[in-house]
Amino acid sequence: MITSTPVGEWVWELSTNSDGFRPGDAARTAAGMWDRLADGDLAASGGTAALRVSDRNNTRDVRMERNGLGLGAPPWAPDSPFARAVREAEALEGDLVVVIRIDCPGTWLEPGGPYRAEKLFAVQVEVWGGTLLAATLETYSDAWLTMDTRGREQPEVYALNAPRLAAALDGISALLGGPPEPGEENRYAAPSTTGFRDVRAEGPAYDDAWGTFETLDRTRLLDSRLPGAGDDYEQIADGPVRYLAVRRDDRTLGFVWAAVDDSAAGYVPRTAAGDEAFDAGAAWVTALREARRGGLTPLAALRDAARRPVPPEAGVIARGGPVEAPSLDALEELSGRY
């Protein structure tokens, strides 16, 4: 399953008494971490970076902030928007806090083949006043766990992916000169220096952490893109649902759905599609609100979705009629897994 919040994280800290760390050091560290992930196909082309520089004595004094920076190929290529922003940051003077964050697309493996997530990992490197460099690696997949985030054992998936994560952690540790400090156990998993702790003996903290928390996290992310509370259809369906896939180019971004009994309707983002899934979702939730205000029932709103004009970021409805899923949970499972 792909999550909206980290399944786990690892932190490396470096200190210096020499010339101090600069924005370029942070960028080179982030690029090196990306490269170690890429060695195992855990980082791939695409993705974006963000860079923020503020005054260490007053972090609200933001000297520079850039978001959505293209990484180029590789991400430290001198002509990439990311590299140009780093050079701009290098010219700043003073006691600075530098934060670089890179969302890393990558692939996880299953017996049926590889699958891509637009944010399989995230790399964050912070420099504080030139004296401390902290590097953090986050993962948003449960492919490295003996039990997935819905509480099911997954021996084949674990065998295919856990060694890849362990190798990447070893590579980053060699780059940074020491092992990581694993993040604390969270609602999904318990990180270790080599990946994640095996919880099959005692069981996970929650029987279905993904089903318990991911719906709430997705709602939060969708709501953050909407102007405010609206006139929504009921969001819970007790029986089968019909859905239409929302696509852009060759990727599915999410699913517009309605309950077969005409009691509810909504949009489910495909988490592996990354931020685009939620950007598209905001447009489709807005369209569903307009349909409800226009007096359409949920099933009529689903039929109307294929004809309703939407902005470019919403994607398009895939060809073909609605597909039926046995439950909303089954559709959520589809949207979170593939």
Side-chain angles (χ1 to χ4, degrees):
M1 306 295 287
I2 303 298
T3 58
S4 301
T5 57
V7 171
E9 67 175 25
W10 301 265
V11 179
W12 294 259
E13 290 190 356
L14 292 77
S15 58
T16 181
N17 294 316
S18 57
D19 295 333
F21 295 112
R22 294 288 299 165
D25 297 301
R28 282 186 287 274
T29 299
M33 294 172 69
W34 187 96
D35 196 35
R36 299 310 185 274
L37 292 171
D39 287 342
D41 292 327
L42 297 177
S45 60
T48 58
L51 186 152
R52 187 176 191 268
V53 183
S54 56
D55 190 295
R56 186 182 184 187
N57 298 313
N58 179 14
T59 53
R60 289 181 293 182
D61 179 10
V62 178
R63 305 281 297 277
M64 174 183 171
E65 187 164 19
R66 303 287 185 273
N67 296 296
L69 296 168
L71 299 174
W76 52 98
D79 59 343
S80 71
F82 174 53
R84 292 197 295 270
V86 171
R87 289 196 293 271
E88 184 180 344
E90 276 284 308
L92 299 175
E93 297 181 354
D95 196 9
L96 304 174
V97 175
V98 180
V99 180
I100 290 174
R101 184 173 179 85
I102 298 177
D103 290 342
C104 305
T107 57
W108 80 95
L109 304 177
E110 297 205 11
Y115 294 90
R116 176 178 168 118
E118 296 307 309
K119 188 164 69 172
L120 192 68
F121 288 90
V123 166
Q124 182 161 307
V125 180
E126 303 176 32
V127 167
W128 289 78
T131 59
L132 174 68
L133 184 150
T136 302
L137 177 69
E138 301 171 349
T139 183
Y140 292 78
S141 171
D142 64 5
W144 343 101
L145 308 183
T146 54
M147 300 182 72
D148 73 10
T149 50
R150 303 206 82 169
R152 303 168 299 202
E153 292 192 23
Q154 51 175 8
E156 292 178 311
V157 173
Y158 174 77
L160 288 169
N161 294 283
R164 303 167 70 216
L165 174 61
L169 292 173
D170 282 346
I172 294 172
S173 294
L175 172 73
L176 300 182
E181 180 66 31
E184 294 183 358
E185 181 175 5
N186 57 41
R187 61 200 188 190
Y188 291 127
S192 70
T193 56
T194 58
F196 289 93
R197 182 162 54 85
D198 185 353
V199 298
R200 284 176 293 184
E202 70 270 29
Y206 296 88
D207 290 335
D208 183 7
W210 193 91
T212 301
F213 298 108
E214 181 64 15
T215 298
L216 298 175
D217 291 335
R218 290 175 169 196
T219 299
R220 174 180 53 81
L221 288 170
L222 277 174
D223 286 348
S224 70
R225 290 163 165 79
L226 293 165
D231 193 13
D232 294 316
Y233 291 107
E234 176 62 50
Q235 301 291 297
I236 298 175
D238 293 327
V241 299
R242 293 175 188 155
Y243 65 90
L244 296 167
V246 176
R247 296 182 61 82
R248 179 180 298 126
D249 299 325
D250 59 346
R251 290 191 299 139
T252 297
L253 302 181
F255 306 94
V256 183
W257 63 271
V260 170
D261 66 5
D262 219 10
S263 63
Y267 171 86
V268 174
R270 178 176 166 265
T271 325
D275 288 341
E276 287 184 78
F278 295 93
D279 294 339
W284 288 106
V285 170
T286 299
L288 287 172
R289 288 176 175 179
E290 292 173 354
R292 190 170 194 271
R293 285 194 295 269
L296 297 183
T297 68
L299 286 172
L302 183 67
R303 291 191 293 270
D304 183 65
R307 302 187 297 269
R308 179 176 289 270
V310 290
E313 66 269 17
V316 297
I317 295 294
R319 292 182 178 180
V323 179
E324 189 164 311
S327 66
L328 180 56
D329 183 71
L331 180 58
E332 293 273 3
E333 170 84 12
L334 173 66
S335 71
R337 188 164 186 180
Y338 301 121

